[in-house]
């Protein structure tokens, strides 16, 4: 907001409080402070950056009020889940034709292989729903929601290794340091609530291969944006939000008393220096205090009925699982958290895919179904955007030894599958297509930049116009290269 | 100015006469226009809105409406500007104007409530007008800048100040330096092109004639096909911007070069009757121009704290404050400043800013994000500031210390600056790609830190705004593209090139061994050449039998072991060797065995083999990995003379710096002992990886040779339950002398050689592949050839001793240049695999290129950076120093002095400081001292309402600096005032309190920085500068306070104000414990003047701020204390629990309730806005 305007508001308040201080206790002050400071009199709508974001208002009518991003870190195999390639059965252990590979660069993991034998998926695929989308047997529950989502089979990226690729899809650049998608949304659109962070991140346990790729706090970092826009990790271990709990032995009553004293003195300090930051500080302490009760309420699932847990599957009762986090995300969405992102690791199946992939799928399949169904039954699916997917795909050719029952797949950035749903996304479509090897895109390519542009678009934001000046650049989530909203998946 | 405006102005001044007041009221009653103007002013001057005599005359909706509706913009008469002037003119007296005497707060509250209801974010969100682009305000920059401009019609326009920002923001993308995106061959960034004929036009700009200048025609056009900037650029010019272009053209369109590329000149300071020197004079002149008036000086106690925090990052002690306050001598202030500048804490504080810029961290940053050892560079920076190394030297050593003649250890360490960039060793990563990424990062960092230029933009294309071509960028990156070392960091802590710094005791040996090793290696090469013919002969005659029968000298016995009971939990394969060793404490030996490790759970250990009679003998164990790498395995070897007497040698390998022996695969393990009677004589490990760094060494054999008796020994193999049944030892051999480990690798590979021989025979080929040939070559030379074998044994001993010292030495990453000249390729669109022309290292053309007498390498670059002719380095540096003292730079974009950066608020002052800095011999302490000696710095920080309007960010310094402290300073301050700070300077990184799971949640499972273990002692209480910085999961208590992730160069921090900060300060055990220790200080004998609650509270406050608690605050704190005692009194167990927070034991007290209550008051003090703010 205009800092001058902000100051004038405070100045008004200062006079007011100056005259009232003797008559008005601190309880009244603390009751007044947050509202008056965060959206008080004489503040135009859409000008307070904390509440409304830098954009003030969206560029066009938003479809999504909030979003839930289910991120599969490590790159799920599109070939064994969504991208059905029945012709491959006949090509078992045949070499991938050079014309298909077409000189594409390989990772260091398979660039030394003598040959690239085709590893057909060993899983059965069937068509589901009215849309007739193909889904493998590994995802029996996701198969039930194909008519609610848009499956994009033609995602692609340039990055071939995890660290740069995941940084790329999350921040728009392969080199660390740029703001993440959630930070951009927080920065641009601001908060929907008074008691909780705007952008929340949940990390999940996984049951596939234990050696999982690292990820990085940069994936929900704010880069050069002010740090209040960085994602707040909601943890299943220790305090759900860092430093949320009072020290042992300190009750909420004592905390309240402590804050009353601090606020009273801070008010004095404000009188002495007239610095608006001091008032902002009072309101931030008040929000911290509210979070101390609102976050535990949020993370206490005891008020959820059994049928809800049943919907998400039995894992949803186990803190830290993907299913638990899905349920938590729904609660976050209900309470006005703008954007939550669940990270699920362990999808990097270079070898032993048949051993690990089913476990990974089992972690997420029921929960995805539960989340969509739950959002639908609460009438929230219309304005909640749900996105599912990883940083790239996997190769049709085998990495390591190929047998009838065992294979591994290397990184494959040239095509892979993601899905999205809710908030103005077309229901029951399969968008884009790949060649018979799921190696190259044959129809409607969607770059990860396009996906990000589309996500912003659903939030009412023109990706060209959400930017931040930094080191001489207008930083944008979609970077400097072209990005297009994928109209084909929008209703 | 019309009469109404005059009246309001006087009213704000408080000089309105009664007649005038009646006049004003009448006008407001009568004239809607007057009311509208008045209500507009209410937005600027709150007291107007609250004026109870006028207020009834205004309709409530009028009072509120302008702000809510935002309809003040359309004031065609330009009134706003004049009203602003009134506000400025009345700056001093305005607040004291009409006091608010009789207004009814209830009214305001009611209105407030109404407006809140109508402004809920949800509602605003719903009601927002959704046009295609219309409702969007241009995103602001992330700092508030009030740069005075002549603005509008009539004022004198400056090209650099007024016009270029408009052109660069809106036009340079297509009409700027980048040839690839340039349209119509028109450039508006260079003078010649803008004024020369273009197609049908005489020129884009016709001096003196705006209406006929195509540029003005296009920006004012209403035709969609003509308007500039075009619609698809998503940019539009405001009316004010158009008018600036117009005025500039009619004033003659005078062109100026970009200020930052012009050499700074030291202008004479303007005359001033305020302040005490040139800096104050420059500041005062600008204030006069803006009609601002400086504040009075702050009191000495406040200054004592401000100075201590600014100069050392720590607060003053009460004693320091008292000394300054009571010192009546005229140079008291200066002596206080000098004393602070002389403390070691000064260097630590300055280093912290520098380390943000250098992107220093203790891990590699990408993928595994393993530990990287480069903290000696951090310590070098601290020391460089403390010995006040001239900034030019400081620069040359960091950029090119390795290229100086006979560089010292310090000069080599300094080059760590360019080794702080994030690196990777991810499985599939490609060298060429990362070579390009690293060179870019290093070039960008150097350019940001020294030149304030965003050269990285030119990696993919010519810079869009600054005159930096893509060629310029690659020439610049070439300086950093010539490192003699691997691209992949190999996930090791010591990625080459590095500097090894042995402990003092090792230094002489290290020097000697390096020479000896070189000599020995040369000797081996010589012998190998000499004996080549013998090898050829041997190979021609070699048979499988020869291979199989090759062994080592001194073999006493060799046993094949078969587990007696494959399913048993413990298998004892007893075997009585035929020959036993007459073993004494000085008997040298080597044990070699084939073993397959079982997967061990954390804390497990298993016996691999032993010859042990219950009191004497040896034992070899496999242990689970240490805390950092539980999945890796360690070995422990014990050589026991008498277990009962504790007379033994034992060595345990450390997992976190070594990969475990290949697990779940049988391998050869070796232990050798040289008979020296010392644990250092034990070598053990996998033949290809010597485990020599031990985390547990027992060295307790009695001196001299003892125990010369023969023992009947036996070997045993044990394995834990549920382990892999194939795990265990299958062969064991004993030798009567130490053998180097490498020979066992060759023995282990015998089978492979036999296989090759069979293959060769079968295929009938006469030649082996070179890979196979080399295996035979190694076998022959290391095991067969008598001359070479002997020399190799000697070399191996030297190498082992050498490596032992290496592994226990401190290492730091440094730069080392390759022999070849520094070159780079222009990369098309920045893609590493799209190489274009080769270019030699050079500096940007706009800055004249590298002078001929400078070498075209980093040393030339370094010299050029600090050359007198360089217009940027000094400016950029003094600007950062200014920023560190005043909170915001004279150029608010310290990272960008280019065309898109901000113009300086005080250009002449910036230049004056830059020249002065250089003339002083780049004296950093002198520059900092000069700044804090000014009257500008000494002002109190109180904000005057009217001046806030003119200068909310305090760019013009009509008040002292006041802003939130950085996270490190807040934490250090808490430790300091509580007496907990451990002030050791330098050393390896430490691990203070951190919530569980911060690392583990994100870390790669094989990373050696996966698990965070808090230190137990001093490490918890060191300055934050020394906290271990894991780049992919930096310490949350720092990043919550806006510390950068250190993944790239950062020269400016935000100062946000968030609830997470409040939670940290209230609940982080570090702060809770500090509060308790502050309470303990007050409770200690002599800790308070009076041992009463009030006395203790006063004492704690004095420790926290250095001066006395103001009465009003003391009242509140004491009142809080009483309430806390009441509450804790209801729950004494809670009080006890509370004071147990933290690793240190609480002081024993009789009354835990009082202790806890006092602790809570201490926590209140540490949560005060003033405590975490510099003012």
């Amino acid at each position: 907001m205009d800092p001058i305007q902000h100051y004038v508001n405070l100045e008004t308040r200062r006079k007011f409080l100056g005259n009232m201080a003797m008559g008005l206790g601190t309880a009244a002050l603390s009751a007044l402070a947050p509202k008056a400071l965060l959206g008080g009199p004489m503040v135009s709508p859409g000008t307070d950056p904390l509440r409304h974001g830098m954009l003030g208002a969206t560029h066009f009518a938003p479809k999504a009020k909030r979003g839930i991003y289910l991120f599969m870190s490590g790159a799920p195999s599109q070939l064994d889940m969504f991208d059905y390639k029945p012709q491959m059965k006949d090509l078992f252990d045949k070499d991938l034709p050079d014309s298909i590979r077409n000189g594409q660069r390989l990772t260091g993991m398979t660039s030394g292989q003598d040959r690239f034998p085709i590893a057909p998926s060993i899983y059965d695929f069937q068509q589901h729903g009215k849309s007739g989308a193909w889904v493998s047997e590994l995802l029996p529950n996701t198969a039930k929601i194909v008519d609610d989502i848009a499956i994009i089979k033609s995602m692609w990226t340039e990055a071939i290794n995890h660290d740069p690729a995941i940084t790329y899809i999350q921040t728009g650049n392969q080199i660390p340091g740029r703001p993440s998608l959630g930070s951009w949304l927080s920065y641009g659109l601001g908060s929907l609530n008074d008691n909780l962070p705007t952008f929340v991140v949940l990390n999940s346990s996984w049951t596939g291969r234990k050696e999982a790729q690292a990820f990085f706090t940069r994936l929900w970092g704010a880069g050069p944006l002010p740090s209040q826009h960085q994602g707040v990790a909601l943890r299943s271990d220790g305090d759900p939000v860092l430093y949320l709990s009072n020290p042992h032995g300190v009750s909420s009553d004592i905390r309240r008393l402590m804050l009353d004293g601090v606020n009273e003195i801070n008010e004095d300090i404000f009188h002495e220096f007239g610095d608006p930051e001091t008032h902002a500080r009072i309101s931030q302490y008040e929000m911290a205090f509210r979070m101390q009760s609102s976050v535990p309420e949020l993370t206490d699932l005891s008020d959820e009925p059994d049928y809800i847990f049943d919907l998400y599957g039995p894992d949803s009762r186990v803190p830290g699982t993907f299913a638990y986090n899905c349920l938590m995300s729904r609660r976050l969405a209900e309470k006005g958290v703008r954007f939550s992102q669940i990270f699920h690791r362990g999808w990097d199946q270079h070898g032993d895919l048949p051993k690990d992939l089913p476990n990974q799928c089992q972690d997420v399949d029921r929960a995805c179904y539960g989340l969509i169904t739950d959002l639908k039954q609460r009438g929230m699916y219309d304005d909640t955007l749900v996105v599912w997917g990883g940083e790239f795909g996997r190769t049709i050719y085998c990495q390591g030894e190929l047998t009838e029952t065992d294979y591994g797949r290397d990184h494959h950035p040239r095509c892979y599958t993601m899905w999205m749903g809710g908030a103005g996304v077309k229901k029951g479509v399969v968008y884009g297509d790949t060649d018979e090897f799921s190696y190259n895109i044959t129809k409607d390519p969607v770059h990860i930049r396009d996906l990000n542009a589309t996500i912003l678009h659903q939030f009412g934001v023109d990706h060209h116009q959400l930017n931040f000046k930094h080191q001489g650049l207008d930083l944008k989530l979609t970077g400097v290269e072209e990005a297009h909203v994928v109209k084909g998946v929008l209703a | 100015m019309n009469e109404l405006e005059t009246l309001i102005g006087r009213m704000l001044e408080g000089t309105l006469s009664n007649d005038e007041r009646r006049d004003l009221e009448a006008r407001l009653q009568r004239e809607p226009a007057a009311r509208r103007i008045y209500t507009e002013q209410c937005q600027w001057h709150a007291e107007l809105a609250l004026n109870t005599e006028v207020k009834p005359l205004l309709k409530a909706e009028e009072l509120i409406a302008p702000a809510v509706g935002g309809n003040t913009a359309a004031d065609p008469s330009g009134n706003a500007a004049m009203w602003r002037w009134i506000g400025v003119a009345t700056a001093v007296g305005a607040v004291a104007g009409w006091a608010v005497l009789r207004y009814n707060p209830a009214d305001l509250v009611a209105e407030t409530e109404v407006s809140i209801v109508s402004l809920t974010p949800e509602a605003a969100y719903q009601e927002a007008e959704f046009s295609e682009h219309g409702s969007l305000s241009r995103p602001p920059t992330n700092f508030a800048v009030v740069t005075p401009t002549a603005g509008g019609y009539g004022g004198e326009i400056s090209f650099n100040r007024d016009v270029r920002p408009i052109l660069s923001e809106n036009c340079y993308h297509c009409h700027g330096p980048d040839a690839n995106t340039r349209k119509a061959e028109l450039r508006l960034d260079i003078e010649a092109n803008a004024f020369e004929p273009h197609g049908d036009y005489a020129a884009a700009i016709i001096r003196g004639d705006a209406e006929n200048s195509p540029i003005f025609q296009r920006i004012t056009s209403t035709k969609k096909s003509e308007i500039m900037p075009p619609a698809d650029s998503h940019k539009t010019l405001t009316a004010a911007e158009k008018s600036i272009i117009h005025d500039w053209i009619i004033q003659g369109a005078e062109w100026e070069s970009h200020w930052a590329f012009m050499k700074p000149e030291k202008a004479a300071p303007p005359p001033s009757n305020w302040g005490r020197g040139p800096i104050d004079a420059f500041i005062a002149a600008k204030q006069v121009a803006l009609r601002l008036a400086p504040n009075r000086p702050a009191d000495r106690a406040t200054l004592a704290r401000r100075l201590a925090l600014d100069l050392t990052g720590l607060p003053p002690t009460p004693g320091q404050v008292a000394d300054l306050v009571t010192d009546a001598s005229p140079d008291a202030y200066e002596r206080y400043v000098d004393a602070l500048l002389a403390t070691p804490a000064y260097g630590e504080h300055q280093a912290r800013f520098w380390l943000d810029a250098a992107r220093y961290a203790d891990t590699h940053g990408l993928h595994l994000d393993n530990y990287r050892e480069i903290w000696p560079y951090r310590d070098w920076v601290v020391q460089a500031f403390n010995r006040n190394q001239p900034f030019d030297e400081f620069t040359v050593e960091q950029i090119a210390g390795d290229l100086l003649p006979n560089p010292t250890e310090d000069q080599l360490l300094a080059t760590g600056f360019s080794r702080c960039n994030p690196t990777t060793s991810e499985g599939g990563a490609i060298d060429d790609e990362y070579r390009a990424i690293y060179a870019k990062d290093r070039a960008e960092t150097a350019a940001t830190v020294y030149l304030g230029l965003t050269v990285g933009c030119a990696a993919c294309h010519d810079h869009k705004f600054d005159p930096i071509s893509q060629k310029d960028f690659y020439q610049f990156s070439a300086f950093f593209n010539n490192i003699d070392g691997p691209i992949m960091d190999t996930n090791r802590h010591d990625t080459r090139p590095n500097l090894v710094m042995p402990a003092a005791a090792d230094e002489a040996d290290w020097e000697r061994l390096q020479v000896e090793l070189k000599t020995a290696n040369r000797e081996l090469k010589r012998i190998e050449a000499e004996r080549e013919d013998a090898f050829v002969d041997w190979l021609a005659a070699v048979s499988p039998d020869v291979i199989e029968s090759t062994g080592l000298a001194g073999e006493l016995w060799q046993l094949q072991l078969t587990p007696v009971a494959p399913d048993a939990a413990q298998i004892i394969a007893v075997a009585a060797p035929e020959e036993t060793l007459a073993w004494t404490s000085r008997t040298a030996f080597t044990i070699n065995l084939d073993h397959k490790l079982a997967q061990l759970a954390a804390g497990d250990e298993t016996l691999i083999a032993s010859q042990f009679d219950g009191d004497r003998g040896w034992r070899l164990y496999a242990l689970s990995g240490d805390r950092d790498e539980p999945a890796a395995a360690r070995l422990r070897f014990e050589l026991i003379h008498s277990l009962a007497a504790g007379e033994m040698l034992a060595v345990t390998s450390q997992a976190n710096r070594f990969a475990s022996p290949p697990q779940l695969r049988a391998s050869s393990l070796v232990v050798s002992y040289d008979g020296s009677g010392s644990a250092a004589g034990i070598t053990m490990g996998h033949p290809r990886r010597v485990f020599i760094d031990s985390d547990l060494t027992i060295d307790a054999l009695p001196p001299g040779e003892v125990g010369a008796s023969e023992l009947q020994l036996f070997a045993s193999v044990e394995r834990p339950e549920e382990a892999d049944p194939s795990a265990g030892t299958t062969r064991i051999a004993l030798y009567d002398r130490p053998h180097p480990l490498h020979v066992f690798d060759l023995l282990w590979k015998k089978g492979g050689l036999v296989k090759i021989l069979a293959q060769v025979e079968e295929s009938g080929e006469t030649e082996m592949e070179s890979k196979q040939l080399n295996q035979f070559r190694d076998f022959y030379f290391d095991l067969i050839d008598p001359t070479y074998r002997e020399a190799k044994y000697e070399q191996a001993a030297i190498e082992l001793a050498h490596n032992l010292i290496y592994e226990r030495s401190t290492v730091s990453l440094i730069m080392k240049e390759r022999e070849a000249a520094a070159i780079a390729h222009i990369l098309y669109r920045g893609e590493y695999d799209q190489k274009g022309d080769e270019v030699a290292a050079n500096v940007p053309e706009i800055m004249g290129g590298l002078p001929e007498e400078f070498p075209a390498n980093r040393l030339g670059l370094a010299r050029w950076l600090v050359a007198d002719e360089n217009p940027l380095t000094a400016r950029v540096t003094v600007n950062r120093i200014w920023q560190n003292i005043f909170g915001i730079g004279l150029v608010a974009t310290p990272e960008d002095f280019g065309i898109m950066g901000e113009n300086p608020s005080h250009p002449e002052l910036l230049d004056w400081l830059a020249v002065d800095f250089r003339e002083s011999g780049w004296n950093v302490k002198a520059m900092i001292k000069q700044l804090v000696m000014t009257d500008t710095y000494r002002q109190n920080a109180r904000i005057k309402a009217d001046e806030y309007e003119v200068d909310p960010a305090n760019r013009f310094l009509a008040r002292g600096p006041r802003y939130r402290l950085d996270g490190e300073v807040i934490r250090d301050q808490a430790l300091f005032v509580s007496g907990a700070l451990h002030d050791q300077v330098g050393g390896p990184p430490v691990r203070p309190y951190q919530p569980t799971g911060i690392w583990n949640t994100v870390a790669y499972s094989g990373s050696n920085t996966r698990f965070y273990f808090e230190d137990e002692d001093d490490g918890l209480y060191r300055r934050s500068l020394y906290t271990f910085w894991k780049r992919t999961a930096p310490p949350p208590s720092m990043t919550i306070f806006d510390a950068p992730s250190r993944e790239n160069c950062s020269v400016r921090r935000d100062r946000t104000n968030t609830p997470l900060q409040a939670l940290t300060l209230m609940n982080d055990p570090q702060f809770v414990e500090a509060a308790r220790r502050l309470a303990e200080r007050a409770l200690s004998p002599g800790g308070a003047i009076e041992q009463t609650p009030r006395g203790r509270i006063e004492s704690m406050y004095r420790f926290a701020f250095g001066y006395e608690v103001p009465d009003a605050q003391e009242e509140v704190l004491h009142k809080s204390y009483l309430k806390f005692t009441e509450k804790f009194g209801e729950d004494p167990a809670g009080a006890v629990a509370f004071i147990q927070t933290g690793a240190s034991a609480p002081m024993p007290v009789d009354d835990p309730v009082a202790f806890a209550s006092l602790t809570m008051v201490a926590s209140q003090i540490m949560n005060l806005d003033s405590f975490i703010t510099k003012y």
Side-chain angles (χ1 to χ4, degrees), chain A residues 390-422:
Chain A
E391 68 267 36
F392 43 63
R394 307 207 77 89
T395 54
I396 180 67
Y397 61 78
C398 182
Q399 178 176 355
E401 204 180 336
L402 172 65
T403 70
E404 295 279 353
T405 54
D406 196 11
Y407 51 96
R409 300 190 189 279
D410 198 6
H411 305 168
H412 188 63
R414 278 164 80 142
C415 65
Y416 71 107
T417 302
M418 291 183 71
W419 60 257
M420 57 201 296

Side-chain angles (χ1 to χ4, degrees), chain B residues 589-603:
Chain B
F589 62 83
T590 302
I591 299 158
N592 173 227
L593 44 81
D594 296 346
H595 182 81
K596 182 177 174 186
L597 279 167
Q599 187 82 54
L600 298 174

